[in-house]
Amino acid sequence: MSTGAVIMLIVSILVVWGGLVAGIVVLRRHPDDPRDEDRPPPPSR
Amino acid sequence: MVREREQWATRAGFILAAVGSAIGLGNIWRFPYVAYEHGGGAFLLPYLIALLTAGIPLLIMEYTIGRRAKGSPPLAFRALSRRAEPIGWWQVAICFVIATYYAVIIAWAVRYTGFSIGQQWGDDPEAYLYGEVLQTADEPGFVSSYVSGVAWPLIGIWVVTLGVLAFGVRRGIERANKIFIPLLAILFLVLVVQALTLDGAADGLDAFFSPDWSAITDGSVWVAAYGQIFFSLSVGFGIMVTYASYLHRRADLTGSALVAGFANSSFEILAGIGVFAAIGFMASTAGLGVGEVLEEGGIGLAFVAFPQIISSLPAAGDLFGLLFFGSLVIAGLSSLISIVQVVISAVQDRTGMPRVPAVLVVGGGIAVVSIVLFPTGEGIYILDAADHFVNQYGIAMAALVAVVVVAWMLRALPTLQVHADETSAIKVGRLWLFTLGVITPVVLGLMMWDSLRGELEAPYQDYPGAFLAVAGWGVAAGVLLVGIALSLLPWRQADQLVRVHGDEGRV
């Protein structure tokens, strides 16, 4: 593979897979607010 | 009485369903070809810019419109303005049409998964596809002969799809995608690893990633990049509005859009690597250039070029075929489910019909049209024309109208921004307003202009005028007219269903 191809391979993988990982990390650090009037009541046991 | 709206059980469930919808046939067979045709590695730069400046902003807009109104597209657009309701019905009509032909491609993939065992397509996969499998008629036209070998798997696809939808959002769609998406990721990873071990794989990757920087200055490359992002993300025809309407009121929107957008592109890049590694092998075996092996994307790439590659593999051809066509089936099914759900949810909102009867009547209706029209000798011509016209003058046109109406006529973006920011960790900011108010409409407008110009230069695929008037232009105009007509019917309960009025900024 040419150097240009290797660089573009690495850059595109870093950007999209990096973006995916970063998005997941942000979401995990910010769980949804449990104060949720829409959520149905938990099932009764 | 207003029925309680269904809700996703978990945030991951919603994201997996959104990713399942976005990852479809186009990721596997369209992206690698479009990228190669438009500068290879250099295409990836406009592609990534398009993802960030149009794809993800549009996803956020659709999530916000859907979650804000907690309704299907007609209701969600009506919640913005009564005058915007036709856009929602237009999108519903588009989904109806797409579902009818999308299912038949999955049915072909089901058959090819079986054909992979022993490579039953023989020495001439092209003749096998059009002659044996599809029994294609000589001329485009309307149904004259029936192909039972396609009809049976097609019926099976509809039974599975409607079965999943009958179980509802949480127990049907969410649960199915929790199985489909990890399974698809595993199948495709194994496929890519197998492809990368082939002789010539590096040549294929070299062709795919080598940048031709002169392409960057070519406007059509940028239009192609935005077009790929746009068609690949399932934006513009109501799916994301519908799926987001089942989110609870405090769900994070922008974070979910980032994950869904990047997950879709991650899969697309992976598909590009797998496809080009395999094509590199084929080219080196046949002593040809990569461009000579990859003559076209779409149906030709999946059902002609890939069978050729599979037949020439030194070992484990059956496995490779099972992985490739099995991936197509799963990627297609999760998208088909989302497309049909748009129509079902709109009819449920409109009529108050419970879920199971709505699935049977509405989903069953789509299935009947699909089964009558497409497993036929003429099916592939109708599919090809309807797909081209409904993509260009349905999805893309409806998206253009939607962003112009939302951003400029209703000036609703600041309202949506408040709504998205309230519950999202990442705030969208002014840049979001700019991408949707300026970049997206300009690029969609250019795409439309480009496409219309092509239409005027020569009839699409040189199909006969009378055929195109019905299966092409007729379908595109039909979805718009049906959308407008449905929005004109009186809908007294709508305002009871929309619960955002006076609620903005107070969650």
Side-chain angles (χ1 to χ4, degrees), chain A residues 2 17 27 32-33 35 38, chain B residues 11 70 206 250 252 266:
Chain A
S2 67
W17 295 357
L27 275 187
D32 285 342
D33 193 335
R35 186 167 46 96
D38 288 346
Chain B
R11 181 157 75 179
K70 286 186 151 287
D206 193 51
R250 302 217 48 94
D252 191 307
S266 297

Side-chain angles (χ1 to χ4, degrees), chain B residues 172-188:
Chain B
I173 302 174
E174 183 165 347
R175 208 185 270 175
N177 277 291
K178 277 183 175 167
I179 300 167
F180 284 161
I181 302 306
L183 183 64
L184 178 64
I186 292 168
L187 287 185
F188 221 80

